[in-house]
Amino acid sequence: MNAETFMWPALLKIVRLQVAFCLALACSGTHALQAMDEDEMAAVSGAGLVLSLEDWRFLASPGSYLEVTGDPPPVGSTSQRGDARWYGISYSAASSISTADESYDGTSCVVGIGCPIGSAIPLAAAVDNPFIIRVFDYVSEGTRDYYNPDGSIVDQPTVFELLAPTSHDKLKASFWSELLVGLDGGYHGSRVDTGFQFLQSRVIMDEVELYTSIDMNNNPVTPKKFGTVWRMYQYPTRPAYSTTYGPLPGIPATYGLGGTIAVSGDMHFSARQKAGSANALESVPSFTETAGMYFKGVDTVLHLGVMHYMSLILDDVPAQDGNFTIELTTLPEVPALYNDYYSISPGAGPGGLAAGLGYKRTNRPERYYETHGFWRIGDQNFGNNGISGTGDGIYFMSEEPGGFAAFSDRRSEDQDAWELSELGFFNLVPPPPTQKNPNNQNLSTVNLGEVNVQGILIQNLKITTLSGT
């Protein structure tokens, strides 16, 4: 199906959309539907549906928004009401392949991470590497087993899953937002009250890929191991039982979600507006193109849930007042599940004391990378940025010369000595530090360094909304 300049009521513009529905067949084009002959029918296995997107971008009107509505603060509280909106969500071509970039008001800007909207994405999801929606059976065999919450093995678990492409042209995503604080009634309140405040900001994610080509040790992975995937599967009944940390309530059989978020790219956050920008509530702002905070060279892999013993589940709250919970169920205290989830290297941990306790950096089992995530910013070459480098890492940039001053050490020797003394452990009030002069002044850019977090495991997570009435 092709759609040229297809308009949605919400002012969503799709430059060109190609949708190919294929049943275990290679799709070689975007032509009109044709009847299949007997040989083609014999090749159909029901492997799933695919979605191909070529010469495509998604643009929402810069005035259309998603809104989170706050509640009045409790009587006697010093808190203030807060409301938020996210405007102009867009997906387009990354700066490295965009042919023309533009701002929210439609005016052109210099192609780069400071421009929120790029041209159409040539291959957002190619025909031979598309989004895939399918029902799939994962078979327990050999050294790979799938478990129920009680530790029993699921011989052939069936899941409904969405797989993102493992190779595609790089994307750019952006939106601008408003945070409104202190206005009774929020956006629908009276603007006569001048005691409210608001902040308009913009987020641009550039050179985005829905997969990462490196592992947590920054080594190349071929083929790409970490791709974004979401699965829905049955979460069997989990009876209530006692744990080391107290009783754990039971969960009836339900459907749960699980999957992997894998994304790489750069991000730019800015709140600096150009001279002449309205800077008014519900008015589309015009941001400068370079000022702000940058995260360059981000690689993130986050695993949420494991078939079938950990799942993201949705539930009502006991009061049934409109609130709900999102919970990543607790890792059950079952030895088989602990061994599967932690996937400790051979020779590490109890029984392998000669090799040392805990995780090893080498010889990790394949399963380790399917349950442990990582978050990295920068190429982990800490010597190539300097105090004002912009190649990678986390840095601030000003559009005015001399906007920053950097201190390599602001602590006094008295402060250091206090922390190293016994007094530092008992005296909660340290001596005042002696201010040192900055050793780098008049900087337009300051690089804070890089980030490397390995072995991310989420054993339990529960979010409860508090705004329902």
Side-chain angles (χ1 to χ4, degrees):
M1 177 176 68
N2 293 334
E4 300 288 344
T5 316
F6 178 72
M7 299 297 293
W8 286 7
L11 298 180
L12 306 180
K13 179 182 178 183
I14 301 180
V15 174
R16 186 180 178 206
L17 175 63
Q18 296 181 338
V19 183
F21 292 98
C22 306
L23 302 176
L25 297 175
C27 299
S28 59
T30 56
H31 308 292
L33 293 177
Q34 297 178 358
M36 294 189 294
D37 58 30
E38 291 185 2
D39 291 337
E40 291 173 323
M41 288 294 292
V44 173
S45 65
L49 306 176
V50 303
L51 175 64
S52 171
L53 301 173
E54 300 181 3
D55 296 324
W56 175 88
R57 67 176 180 174
F58 176 98
L59 304 181
S61 167
S64 63
Y65 57 85
L66 301 174
E67 181 174 352
V68 173
T69 303
D71 281 344
V75 177
S77 171
T78 58
S79 301
Q80 293 181 294
R81 171 177 173 146
D83 298 81
R85 284 181 176 179
W86 293 269
Y87 295 85
I89 298 173
S90 69
Y91 298 90
S92 56
S95 299
S96 59
I97 60 173
S98 179
T99 56
D101 281 13
E102 59 187 85
S103 300
Y104 291 117
D105 59 5
T107 59
S108 62
C109 54
V110 178
V111 174
I113 193 173
C115 290
I117 301 173
S119 58
I121 310 163
L123 291 175
V127 170
D128 59 353
N129 203 331
F131 287 93
I132 300 175
I133 304 173
R134 67 182 183 181
V135 176
F136 194 78
D137 292 335
Y138 286 87
V139 180
S140 291
E141 58 183 359
T143 59
R144 183 67 185 90
D145 291 321
Y146 301 94
Y147 296 94
N148 284 316
D150 61 0
S152 61
I153 295 176
V154 187
D155 291 332
Q156 192 167 332
T158 299
V159 302
F160 178 75
E161 61 185 3
L162 167 65
L163 293 85
T166 54
S167 180
H168 59 78
D169 286 339
K170 294 181 179 181
L171 318 175
K172 174 182 287 188
S174 71
F175 61 86
W176 70 274
S177 61
E178 283 179 337
L179 179 62
L180 173 61
V181 178
L183 180 60
D184 291 339
Y187 281 95
H188 306 288
S190 173
R191 306 292 171 85
V192 177
D193 179 10
T194 58
F196 68 89
Q197 298 181 357
F198 68 93
L199 173 67
Q200 295 177 324
S201 61
R202 181 190 64 189
V203 172
I204 299 175
M205 290 164 281
D206 202 8
E207 309 300 329
V208 175
E209 296 173 320
L210 299 178
Y211 56 86
T212 178
S213 304
I214 54 179
D215 65 17
M216 63 178 62
N217 298 317
N218 205 33
N219 297 318
V221 176
T222 304
K224 299 176 179 66
K225 182 182 298 183
F226 305 112
T228 297
V229 56
W230 281 102
R231 298 184 175 99
M232 176 182 289
Y233 45 86
Q234 184 178 15
Y235 183 76
T237 300
R238 189 191 72 188
Y241 61 91
S242 299
T243 71
T244 306
Y245 304 100
L248 196 65
I251 298 177
T254 183
Y255 284 101
L257 292 173
T260 297
I261 300 173
V263 62
S264 60
D266 306 323
M267 191 180 83
H268 178 209
F269 172 84
S270 177
R272 177 71 180 271
Q273 298 186 22
K274 295 180 180 179
S277 179
N279 194 25
L281 198 63
E282 296 186 273
S283 177
V284 179
S286 179
F287 294 93
T288 61
E289 297 178 12
T290 58
M293 186 177 186
Y294 292 78
F295 300 85
K296 277 285 191 74
V298 179
D299 279 284
T300 303
V301 171
L302 185 63
H303 302 290
L304 297 172
V306 183
M307 299 188 301
H308 283 245
Y309 58 85
M310 293 179 68
S311 299
L312 283 169
I313 59 175
L314 304 179
D315 200 2
D316 198 0
V317 297
Q320 295 185 340
D321 56 2
N323 289 299
F324 62 92
T325 63
I326 304 174
E327 180 181 6
L328 178 62
T329 57
T330 306
L331 173 64
E333 290 191 7
V334 177
L337 305 186
Y338 267 68
N339 291 335
D340 181 66
Y341 193 57
Y342 284 99
S343 296
I344 297 177
S345 303
L353 300 181
L357 293 172
Y359 289 110
K360 297 167 64 177
R361 292 184 179 272
T362 59
N363 196 29
R364 288 168 171 164
E366 187 75 13
R367 182 61 170 159
Y368 176 92
Y369 297 99
E370 297 175 0
T371 59
H372 293 66
F374 62 89
W375 181 49
R376 182 170 42 247
I377 303 177
D379 62 3
Q380 309 311 300
N381 183 356
F382 300 102
N384 66 351
N385 288 328
I387 192 64
S388 59
T390 60
D392 63 351
I394 305 172
Y395 62 90
F396 289 90
M397 180 176 289
S398 171
E399 292 194 337
E400 300 175 356
F404 299 106
F407 299 80
S408 60
D409 185 5
R410 290 191 297 174
R411 302 156 58 86
S412 69
E413 293 183 2
D414 291 339
Q415 177 92 358
D416 295 333
W418 172 84
E419 290 187 352
L420 294 174
S421 70
E422 292 186 2
L423 182 63
F425 290 99
F426 303 103
N427 186 357
L428 299 180
V429 182
T434 301
Q435 181 68 49
K436 292 188 176 182
N437 294 325
N439 52 359
N440 290 279
Q441 301 186 61
N442 301 320
L443 298 174
S444 298
T445 304
V446 172
N447 193 303
L448 303 183
E450 302 179 352
V451 173
N452 189 1
V453 181
Q454 297 189 21
I456 299 176
L457 281 174
I458 302 178
Q459 295 192 39
N460 181 233
L461 174 68
K462 188 171 184 178
I463 300 173
T464 302
T465 63
L466 300 175
S467 60
T469 55

